[in-house]
Structure formats: structure tokens, C-alpha cells
Amino acid sequence: MSHIKLILTNMAFLILIACGLPCAGSGEIATQPDTSTIPFGRPGHGLNRTVIDTNLPGAYQVEIADVNGDNKLDIIALGGGTVAWYENPKWTKRIVSDKKTSPGVISTATRDIDGDGKAEIAIAYEFEMNNPKLGKLLMARQKGEGWVYESLGDFPSIHRLRWGDFDGDGKPDLAIAPIFGKSATGPDFQQEGARLEVLFGGSLAGRSEVDHKLVTHAIGVIPGPAQNRTTNFLSASNEGIWQHGFANQKWENRQILVGAGGERPKTGCSEIHLGKFADGRHFYATIEPWHGSDVVIQPERTKGSPQLGPRFVIDTTLKEAHALCVADIDGDGTDEVFAGYRGPGFGLNAYRLEAGTWKRLVIDSKIASQDLRTADINGDGLMDVVSVGGSTKNVVLYQATKK
């Protein structure tokens, strides 16, 4: 890639609960989505913007998964003590858990782990930024039209959850990442690293310590060695990006990149995703530093090489950046990068590589984006994006379109 420069294009658009034990809400909530279309990518391509919820206070995380086993991808979002799912295609809102069940909810991971065709949802809750000793984990299971809950105990400062298959046995494993060590204190939180763990099989009986990293903000699951049929996971922390893989009955932890310098805790990386160029090379997309301002791309030097090429900072203007994802939206073979921020002037940006230049497009100025996920939600072969806004209380779907 040649010299990287930013091209900012301003756009403006019109803005246009289930019961369990204990009771989780009042059943389904009808929604009336508002939509608008955003030109994006190659000629004829765009994003159809649909607001599917305008009332999820403190919206913090979003997922895409088939919740009810109908082979359609649904949306799961959380905020303000509530976990909700939105059923594809009408996006009817249903409550999984509420403030009584999951106060201080911070993360979910959704997957059918028992093979009954319906998803379980691991829920991390009772999170408090300034009290790292707190944190709990439960498993929500579907029963009839509602949900029942199994407590999995205390996990201090629990912050991120992801499903993978780290030992290659074909069974789902749950990666758990606190943000701090339980003895860490502000303002720098450097006294103890976060204890990264995996529950093999999603069970406490398979609890395994992976590593400790200072101020671990995000994790992401990536493919492991093809011959082992495993997944690995990446962590983003004050110590940069690390890859964690399980082989020969032990964890192997390798640093990939350092991230931003500076004074801790404003160092290292805050978000991480693995993207791909049309020539087959991968790249690491990061937000730097913790809750930082920069979007950074670091590519493989050559396809499959452990050596990285030059580090490109493609944006430095975000305020409290908190969301990141990569996806090939327009089918040109190279992933676009999406980054959201929740600070002053909040919004969602996209970055597209054109002739060696990353061009920036403001996708949405009406969402204080806290999280992003991507998948082909409607089965048309095009990748779609979902985001949630904290202070804006919204859940927004951006479906890729092609004329």
C-alpha cells in the first residue's frame, strides 16, 4: 500500500419481553423500523440503514446469531441491565433478562451449545468499572416461551465473552476476558492484569487459565491452524495485541503487535479485528490506545507471513472510540473497516481501500456507537453490519444492497 491519506465525506441522513425464572419481562415488543439508504462502495452498492430499536438505554454490545433455531440470523443487544433479542425479519423485540436478573450487564455470547437447535446466551453482568472485584456469569437457556438461568459464579471485572473451539473437539468453548485484575485501582489500573480464561465445553468443569494482560478491553476469535481444526483468540490490551492458542494441552501466547505508546493506561490497543485484502494477505485493524482516537491498519508483509508490514494510522480524530469491525461490503475482495465512537461528535465511520488510499466515509452521525458486528443477515451473499448506540439508545442495522 502506498501513502495513506484520509478523505472525509460528510453525509447527513434523516433519522427518521419473554418470561423465565425469575420473570424477565413482558413478552414481545412490536417495532416499526425506519429506513434510509446510504451509497457505499463500488458503483451500485450501498447500505440500507434500519433503526430497529430507539429505546435501549445504555446500549453497549450487539451480536448476530440464530436465537430460536429457524435458520435466520437474529440480533442480540444489551444495555442498562437488559438483554434483548430481535427476531428476523420483522425485528420483534423480546427480553431475555432484565435488571433483576442481570444488573450491570456488560457482555453476551450466543450459541446453541447443547444441540437442541435453540441458542443459549452466556451473560456477563454485575460489572463496575471502579470495583474490579465484582463480576458474575450466568447461562440463559430457553424453556418454553421464556428463559431460565444457571449461575456460573463470580468472575471479577468480567468484560468480554466469545465462543470458539479452542481444543478442536467440535464442542463450543467460552473465552472470558475481564478488563482489570481484581486488585487493580484507578486511575491507571496497572496493579494486576486481567485473568483471561476459557471454559472448555462452556462448563466450569473445563475452566482453564490462559494468560494475564493489563487493561484488556476486547477479544476476538480467529481461525487456528487448519490441520488442528481449532480457533484461536486475539486480545487487545495495554500490552498490545496477543494471540492465544491451545496446543499440546497447554496455552501458547504470542504478541502480534505493540500498539500505541504513551502513558498507561492510554497505551496499547482497545479493539482488534482480523481483515483480508483481495491479494490474500491479512491485516490487523485496531483502535488505539485504550478508548482512543486512532484507527490503525497493520498488514502482513506477505501472504501467510508472521512478519508485519508498515503500520498505517488511517484516522486520528475519533473521540472515545469503542467499536470496530471488518467486512467486505461491496464484494471487491478487500474488507472495509468500520469504526464507531461515543465521545463528542459521536458517530460511525467506514474506511474503504481505493488505489492504495483508505477513504473515510461518515456512515451515521446519529449513533453513539459502542459496538459493531457483521454477518450476512438476510442470506443474499452480502455482508451486513449492526451497531448499538449508548447515549443515543438505538440499535441500527446497515444491510448491504446491490443494484
Side-chain angles (χ1 to χ4, degrees), residues 108-149:
T108 60
T110 303
R111 188 160 174 175
D112 177 12
I113 63 174
D114 59 12
D116 68 352
K118 294 186 177 182
E120 285 71 42
I121 304 180
I123 300 175
Y125 68 106
E126 212 170 85
F127 174 84
E128 288 190 21
M129 176 71 80
N130 293 315
N131 192 350
K133 293 181 175 63
L134 297 181
K136 293 182 182 296
L137 177 65
L138 66 79
M139 192 72 69
R141 304 179 188 275
Q142 299 184 58
K143 184 176 182 180
E145 296 299 317
W147 297 81
V148 294
Y149 314 103

Side-chain angles (χ1 to χ4, degrees), residues 194-339:
R195 173 180 163 138
L196 308 182
E197 298 184 81
V198 162
L199 301 186
F200 287 112
S203 168
L204 289 174
R207 191 170 183 173
S208 175
E209 182 176 313
V210 178
D211 204 355
H212 289 76
K213 289 287 172 279
L214 294 165
V215 189
T216 302
H217 190 259
I219 55 175
V221 175
I222 62 170
Q227 67 272 19
N228 295 340
R229 298 178 299 171
T230 61
T231 55
N232 294 343
F233 72 95
L234 301 171
S235 63
S237 71
N238 276 184
E239 300 177 56
I241 302 301
W242 286 70
Q243 179 172 308
H244 311 278
F246 190 74
N248 301 316
Q249 300 301 307
K250 64 179 182 180
W251 288 98
E252 298 177 354
N253 306 303
R254 178 173 69 92
Q255 189 173 40
I256 302 295
L257 55 91
V258 175
E263 185 176 349
R264 289 185 175 178
K266 295 295 184 179
T267 64
C269 302
S270 194
E271 302 286 340
I272 174 63
H273 279 274
L274 184 66
K276 193 174 184 180
F277 295 116
D279 64 8
R281 289 179 302 137
H282 286 95
F283 64 86
Y284 295 94
T286 57
I287 297 292
E288 302 180 12
W290 179 38
H291 291 172
S293 58
D294 298 355
V295 183
V296 181
I297 303 295
Q298 196 145 354
E300 292 178 331
R301 189 172 295 278
T302 58
K303 181 180 178 180
S305 171
Q307 295 182 330
L308 300 181
R311 177 177 183 268
F312 298 104
V313 181
I314 65 172
D315 200 350
T316 62
T317 66
L318 307 188
K319 302 294 191 297
E320 290 189 51
H322 202 271
L324 187 72
C325 75
V326 298
D328 181 8
I329 298 296
D330 61 359
D332 67 353
T334 293
D335 286 340
E336 283 73 49
V337 177
F338 291 78

Side-chain angles (χ1 to χ4, degrees), residues 4 12 18-19 25 33 47 77 80 93 114 116 124 183 202 210 213 224-225 260 314 355 357 373 399:
I4 304 296
C19 285
L47 292 169
K93 181 179 181 179
D114 59 12
D116 68 352
S183 67
V210 178
K213 289 287 172 279
I314 65 172
T357 297
R373 296 292 174 96
Q399 285 187 296

